[in-house]
Amino acid sequence: MILDRRRLLAGISLAVIGLSVMAAADPDGVMRSADGEVPVKPGVVYALGDKRDGGFNEGALHALEFFRNETGEAFLEAEVQSVDGFAAAVDGLVRQGANLVIAVGFYYADAVKAAAAAHPDIRFVLVDGVADGPNIRSIVFREQEGAYLVGVLAALASKTGTIGFVGATDVPLMQKFSNGYAAGARATRPGVTTLVDYVGTDPAAFRDRDRAAQVARDEIGRGADVVFAVAGEANLGVFQAAREGEKLAIGVDSNQNGLVPGTILTSMLKRVDIAVLRSLDDMRAGIWSAGLVTLGVREHAVGWAIDDNNRPLVTPEMEEAVETARRAIADGSITVPDPTGH
């Protein structure tokens, strides 16, 4: 996928307007070069799983590739097999010259806090989680808003009145997805049943395709005919189960509609690319700051995907229902509660 700079910058500009930031000063102040730009050598520690996962990791990768192609600034990468490998990965990135480290995944929160304390001159960006520190920017999304939208679509597409949710682990972040999904479905079709199950209990669940497929099959066996997959790389197992059962699935993070055309009803978009690119641009411009950033529908950072791959599954009436809900969330007419309080 080639990123369109104009679309990205439009999203970023809107994000700035509605940004929720609790800013702290940079540890050594804003550093600018003579021409007003700061040299940036970013390093990324990907979420557990393949960096080209068609989802969360790939969104971050696209932003880094775009930044490199536009600015000529190379980036460094690290893939780890477990959270325990994070500290060593960061040490390696810093030794190679990284001055901005991007950590992709909420489960890195404690590790980011420790690494940031160990490297006080390095800026850190934690995507999808919160970690406190004078050199840490934490970026979280209002996932419940995007999940609400795909819940509207799931309720309209379901023939049985039962829809499913397969998350990786039962943690507050996943509850934002599941709660928003169920709320959107109920608002659209009172009485709809939402089944909620999880793949595992630790970050390894994000890669367990076989277990994810089994969980999805179980929900399908209990009547679910639309299953929302929020399990990283393990989403592929959910998609497989939906295809085998001739049911529908919903992807997440990046546009996954094309992975199994005819099976994937839509994808809940979570614009990791926008979040990462904004941090890179801020660093380069010398205006990077630490603190908490929240992004949602109003900032065009979460949403839903419709394209040639899923358009045959979505009637004009269904599309209008989702778009009506999206506009209502954006203008504040609909508020989707956040169980985490962020």
Side-chain angles (χ1 to χ4, degrees):
M1 180 181 76
I2 298 174
L3 299 181
D4 183 321
R5 181 69 173 184
R6 288 171 297 177
R7 291 170 59 195
L8 268 176
L9 288 177
I12 292 168
S13 298
L14 288 166
V16 170
I17 293 171
L19 212 53
S20 170
V21 178
M22 296 186 295
D26 283 350
D28 54 355
V30 172
M31 300 183 301
R32 293 179 183 270
S33 61
D35 61 2
E37 291 188 353
V38 176
V40 183
K41 189 166 186 179
V44 58
V45 181
Y46 293 110
L48 302 181
D50 190 343
K51 72 178 182 181
R52 294 196 179 276
D53 58 358
F56 207 57
N57 276 338
E58 198 152 351
L61 176 60
H62 285 155
L64 287 160
E65 289 177 333
F66 190 94
F67 185 76
R68 178 194 61 200
N69 294 341
E70 187 176 62
T71 67
E73 302 281 2
F75 64 91
L76 304 167
E77 303 173 285
E79 296 181 79
V80 298
Q81 298 303 308
S82 71
V83 175
D84 292 341
F86 183 84
V90 170
D91 290 344
L93 294 174
V94 172
R95 282 196 302 271
Q96 295 175 73
N99 61 359
L100 177 69
V101 174
I102 300 160
V104 184
F106 69 90
Y107 37 73
Y108 290 136
D110 290 341
V112 165
K113 185 174 182 178
H119 300 282
D121 295 330
I122 306 300
R123 273 66 168 176
F124 286 80
V125 175
L126 174 60
V127 180
D128 222 25
V130 178
D132 294 326
N135 55 335
I136 303 172
R137 174 180 289 187
S138 300
I139 300 174
V140 296
F141 296 83
R142 297 193 296 278
E143 291 93 350
Q144 70 275 11
E145 296 178 352
Y148 185 102
L149 298 180
V150 300
V152 169
L153 195 61
L156 293 173
S158 176
K159 297 177 181 178
T160 65
T162 297
I163 60 177
F165 174 89
V166 177
T169 59
D170 188 3
V171 295
L173 173 63
M174 290 292 158
Q175 292 160 16
K176 291 170 72 175
F177 283 101
S178 63
N179 288 13
Y181 180 59
R186 285 195 308 270
T188 304
R189 186 175 176 178
V192 69
T193 297
T194 304
L195 306 178
V196 177
D197 293 288
Y198 297 94
V199 177
T201 59
D202 59 41
F206 286 87
R207 294 180 291 178
D208 195 341
R209 301 184 190 184
D210 291 341
R211 174 61 184 159
Q214 185 53 52
V215 173
R217 290 188 192 103
D218 178 69
E219 289 191 344
I220 290 170
R222 289 185 283 153
D225 58 353
V226 184
V227 181
F228 185 17
V230 186
E233 186 180 321
N235 274 12
L236 297 175
V238 177
F239 299 159
Q240 177 186 354
R243 181 177 59 187
E244 291 171 351
E246 298 183 344
K247 307 302 181 186
L248 297 173
I250 296 174
V252 78
D253 298 333
S254 297
N255 184 351
Q256 299 185 314
N257 295 351
L259 295 180
V260 192
T263 292
I264 301 181
L265 176 64
T266 187
S267 298
M268 194 210 99
L269 301 178
K270 185 171 170 181
R271 296 299 300 274
V272 177
D273 51 356
I274 285 178
V276 170
L277 188 61
R278 180 173 183 271
S279 290
L280 294 168
D281 283 346
D282 285 355
M283 182 78 170
R284 188 166 180 246
I287 59 173
W288 191 95
S289 62
L292 176 64
V293 175
T294 64
L295 301 170
V297 164
R298 182 158 54 98
E299 297 83 21
H300 298 263
V302 299
W304 71 297
I306 184 161
D307 58 23
D308 290 343
N309 293 298
N310 69 328
R311 193 169 294 279
L313 302 173
V314 180
T315 67
E317 293 76 17
M318 292 162 69
E319 182 175 358
E320 178 55 30
V322 180
E323 282 300 297
T324 297
R326 184 191 61 77
R327 291 190 292 268
I329 292 171
D331 68 20
S333 301
I334 293 177
T335 299
V336 188
D338 179 356
T340 71
H342 288 138

